[in-house]
């Protein structure tokens, strides 16, 4: 999903746009959970790039920061 409006920070979205965005984030999260058969997906909001975007990271059975280094086995 690509947000076409240039919004620099999450709090600048209207309530309607915020709710729409979060609905889509939730749909993607649920698809990842189902497809990858994981119990949890981390939602990470970062705004260093000065535009609203999310990172969705599947949580495998790994502890700590090693979750970001997981190599998926097919």
């Amino acid at each position: 999903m690509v947000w076409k409006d240039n919004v620099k920070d999450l709090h600048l979205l209207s309530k309607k746009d915020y709710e729409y965005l979060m609905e889509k984030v939730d749909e993607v999260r649920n698809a990842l959970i189902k497809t990858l058969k994981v119990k949890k997906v981390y939602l990470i909001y970062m705004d260093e790039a000065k535009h609203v975007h999310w990172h969705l990271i599947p949580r495998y059975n790994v502890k700590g920061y090693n979750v970001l280094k997981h190599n998926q086995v097919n």
Side-chain angles (χ1 to χ4, degrees), residues 37-60:
K37 296 178 179 35
V38 294
K39 292 182 181 179
K40 184 173 255 189
V41 173
Y42 292 118
L43 304 178
I44 301 173
Y45 169 71
M46 301 178 74
D47 64 2
E48 282 82 23
K50 296 192 180 177
H51 68 267
V52 171
H53 69 281
W54 287 90
H55 297 266
L56 283 77
I57 302 172
R59 180 173 187 256
Y60 296 92

Side-chain angles (χ1 to χ4, degrees), residues 21-37:
L21 175 62
M22 294 314 298
E23 178 183 313
K24 297 304 170 189
V25 168
D26 197 43
E27 289 173 9
V28 172
R29 186 204 61 181
N30 291 341
L32 286 170
I33 288 171
K34 181 178 178 183
T35 303
L36 300 176
K37 296 178 179 35

Side-chain angles (χ1 to χ4, degrees), residues 57-58 60 62-72:
I57 302 172
Y60 296 92
V62 178
K63 292 184 180 180
Y65 291 108
N66 289 334
V67 70
L68 302 175
K69 298 179 182 177
H70 180 79
N71 293 323
Q72 183 175 343

